[in-house]
Amino acid sequence: MKEKYPLLEIIDKTGKLVPNAYEIEITEEEVKRFYYHMIRLRIYDRKGRALQRQGRIGTYVPFEGQEASQVGSALALQSDDWMFPTYRDHGATLTFGADLDRLLLHWNGRVEGCVPSKEKNIFPAAIPIATQLPHATGAAMAETYKGTKNVSIAYFGDGATSEGDFHEGLNIASVFKAPVVFFNQNNGFAISVPIEKQMNSETIAQKAEAYGIPGVRVDGQDVFAVHFAVTEAFERARRGEGPTLIEAVTWRFGAHTTADDPSKYRDQEKSEQMRDDLDPLLRLERFMKNNEMWEEEWITRIKQEIEHELDEAIARMEAYEKPNPADMFDYVFEEPTWTIAEQKEMLRRSVK
C-alpha cells in the first residue's frame, strides 16, 4: 500500500528540492511567511513547557516537531473557513489567527480561555478523541447548504483512527460530498501505543478507499508538501468534489503532555538523534540558506518581536484577577441539579 500511497515530498532533509517533485512556484515572500509562523510556534511551544514546569500554567500539550504540519495546513485556509483542532493543534489555531491571550488563559485553566473567538471560525479544541470529525463534517455541509465556498479542516492523531467518530465523520462526508479535509498527523504513537498495535493497515491514507474518497500521504516535516497537498484538497472541496483524507507522517520530539514520560515507551535519545533529519524548522532553514533567502538581521528581529509578543501576553495572563473556583459548577447544566448545587455549597463552606 505504501507504493500506492507514496510520501509526497518537495524539499528533502538537506533543504534541497526533491527531483521530479511537484512543480510549484515557491516565492521568497511565501518561504519567509512559513518560517515566521514556524519559529513563532517553536518559541511559543518551548515557553509553554517552561511555564508548566514553573507552575505558572497547568498541564501543557507540546507539539515540537509538528510545526510544518500545522503551519502548512493552517496557511492554506481562507479567512471564513472552519478549523476543528485537537488539544495539540494550538499551533495551527495561532497560525490561523487565534487570540494568543485567550490561548494562554486556556492553558491556565481559565473559563475565559474556553470562549471561542468571534474573529475566526475555530471550534474549541477537542479533548475527547475524534469527536471533532463529525462536527467538521456538519459545519462543511452547513456551508454548502448556505451556498458558500467555505471549507473545514479537522485535525486528529493516529489514535483517532481507532474511534467510531473517525468512521462516522468520513462516511457522512463522503455520502454528502462535504467540503472538508480530514488532516491526520501520524506521529507513530497514541500516547504510549505504537501504531502497529492499533492497525494492520500500512498507511492511514489508504483508509480513504473504504469511503470512496481520495487519500494522500505527505511528509509532515516538509511545510511545502503539506501546504501544497492541503491547498489542492481545499480547491477540490470548493469545486464540490467532496472530502479528502490526508496523512501527514510526522514526529513529535517531546512528551504526549507534560504529565507524560515518553522514555517509558520509546527511546528519547534516539528521538533526539533523529532531529537532524526530521526537524521541520532545520529543513526550512537549510532551504533558505541554499537559496540565498536567509537574512540574519531579519531572523534576529522577528525572534525578538516574537519573544516580546509572548512575554507581554504572559504578563497579561498572570495579571488576571484570580478565578472563582465555583465557576466549575455553573456551566454543566442550564439549571443546576441538586447534586451540583450541593457540591457548590460544600466548596463555599470549605474556602471560608
Side-chain angles (χ1 to χ4, degrees):
M1 274 297 183
K2 286 186 178 179
E3 291 75 22
K4 189 173 181 179
Y5 293 91
L7 199 67
L8 171 63
E9 188 180 40
I10 293 176
I11 54 172
D12 63 20
K13 64 184 181 182
T14 67
K16 295 179 181 177
L17 287 171
V18 176
N20 303 315
Y22 283 81
E23 292 184 9
I24 60 171
E25 183 181 354
I26 305 172
T27 66
E28 183 171 350
E29 180 182 6
E30 192 167 32
V31 171
K32 286 186 173 180
R33 188 163 71 115
F34 287 145
Y35 186 80
Y36 170 80
H37 285 287
M38 287 174 65
I39 194 65
R40 182 176 182 240
L41 298 192
R42 178 65 58 89
I43 294 171
Y44 158 81
D45 191 53
R46 291 185 173 181
K47 277 189 180 292
R49 281 179 287 162
L51 288 169
Q52 191 279 331
R53 294 305 188 216
Q54 294 163 5
R56 297 161 70 185
I57 62 173
T59 299
Y60 179 76
V61 180
F63 55 80
E64 182 168 333
Q66 296 182 211
E67 293 93 346
S69 290
Q70 298 197 23
V71 168
S73 57
L75 288 181
L77 288 159
Q78 295 180 7
S79 60
D80 290 330
D81 291 335
W82 285 84
M83 176 180 283
F84 290 78
T86 71
Y87 47 78
R88 196 181 308 283
D89 300 305
H90 32 120
T93 66
L94 280 175
T95 303
F96 189 40
D99 183 76
L100 177 59
D101 287 24
R102 189 172 291 154
L103 186 57
L104 288 170
L105 289 169
H106 166 80
W107 291 115
N108 201 29
R110 301 294 300 247
V111 171
E112 298 89 344
C114 300
V115 179
S117 170
K118 293 181 179 179
E119 291 73 37
K120 291 288 184 177
N121 296 324
I122 302 175
F123 203 71
I127 307 301
I129 305 302
T131 55
Q132 72 279 13
L133 273 68
H135 295 155
T137 297
M141 290 170 64
E143 291 292 347
T144 298
Y145 297 151
K146 290 190 293 184
T148 78
K149 294 293 183 182
N150 299 332
V151 300
S152 68
I153 184 169
Y155 291 85
F156 58 102
D158 41 294
T161 63
S162 298
E163 297 284 345
D165 300 78
F166 171 80
H167 164 77
E168 292 158 7
L170 269 69
N171 189 57
I172 296 170
S174 171
V175 170
F176 290 94
K177 289 189 177 297
V180 55
V181 170
F182 297 102
F183 188 74
N184 168 251
Q185 294 174 89
N186 178 6
N187 62 48
F189 286 90
I191 309 181
S192 59
V193 180
I195 194 164
E196 59 269 18
K197 290 189 176 181
Q198 287 190 74
M199 65 183 197
N200 285 326
S201 306
E202 277 193 279
T203 71
I204 288 171
Q206 73 193 67
K207 294 176 183 288
E209 290 192 25
Y211 309 99
I213 66 175
V216 179
R217 195 161 163 264
V218 62
D219 185 343
Q221 309 308 92
D222 177 351
V223 67
F224 299 142
V226 171
H227 186 69
F228 176 81
V230 175
T231 298
E232 193 174 63
F234 281 155
E235 289 172 352
R236 182 177 175 276
R238 294 186 208 280
R239 292 194 301 266
E241 297 174 23
T244 302
L245 171 61
I246 297 177
E247 175 188 1
V249 180
T250 185
W251 187 256
R252 186 184 69 251
F253 290 104
H256 175 73
T257 73
T258 49
D260 171 47
D261 179 6
S263 66
K264 299 290 186 182
Y265 54 85
R266 74 179 196 186
D267 187 339
Q268 281 301 97
E269 287 187 14
K270 183 179 178 182
S271 175
E272 280 303 312
Q273 290 167 5
M274 291 168 15
R275 184 179 287 274
D276 192 61
D277 290 340
L278 294 181
D279 190 322
L281 204 57
L282 283 178
R283 188 178 301 195
L284 185 56
E285 288 176 355
R286 288 166 182 161
F287 176 84
M288 293 171 73
K289 290 173 182 177
N290 290 339
N291 292 274
E292 299 182 350
M293 296 179 183
W294 185 263
E295 296 178 19
E296 200 69 49
E297 185 178 336
W298 177 76
I299 300 294
T300 300
R301 177 170 55 81
I302 64 167
K303 285 182 178 179
Q304 290 174 345
E305 289 173 354
I306 292 165
E307 291 277 1
H308 181 69
E309 174 197 20
L310 288 167
D311 287 343
E312 286 198 331
I314 291 166
R316 288 192 294 270
M317 173 195 75
E318 295 186 321
Y320 250 72
E321 60 180 314
K322 289 186 178 181
N324 180 2
D327 285 347
M328 75 177 87
F329 302 106
D330 292 340
Y331 302 101
V332 182
F333 297 105
E334 183 178 5
E335 294 293 333
T337 63
W338 68 267
T339 53
I340 290 175
E342 186 177 88
Q343 291 172 44
K344 186 175 181 179
E345 177 59 21
M346 288 173 63
L347 174 68
R348 186 190 66 78
R349 292 197 302 267
S350 67
V351 296
K352 277 187 176 181

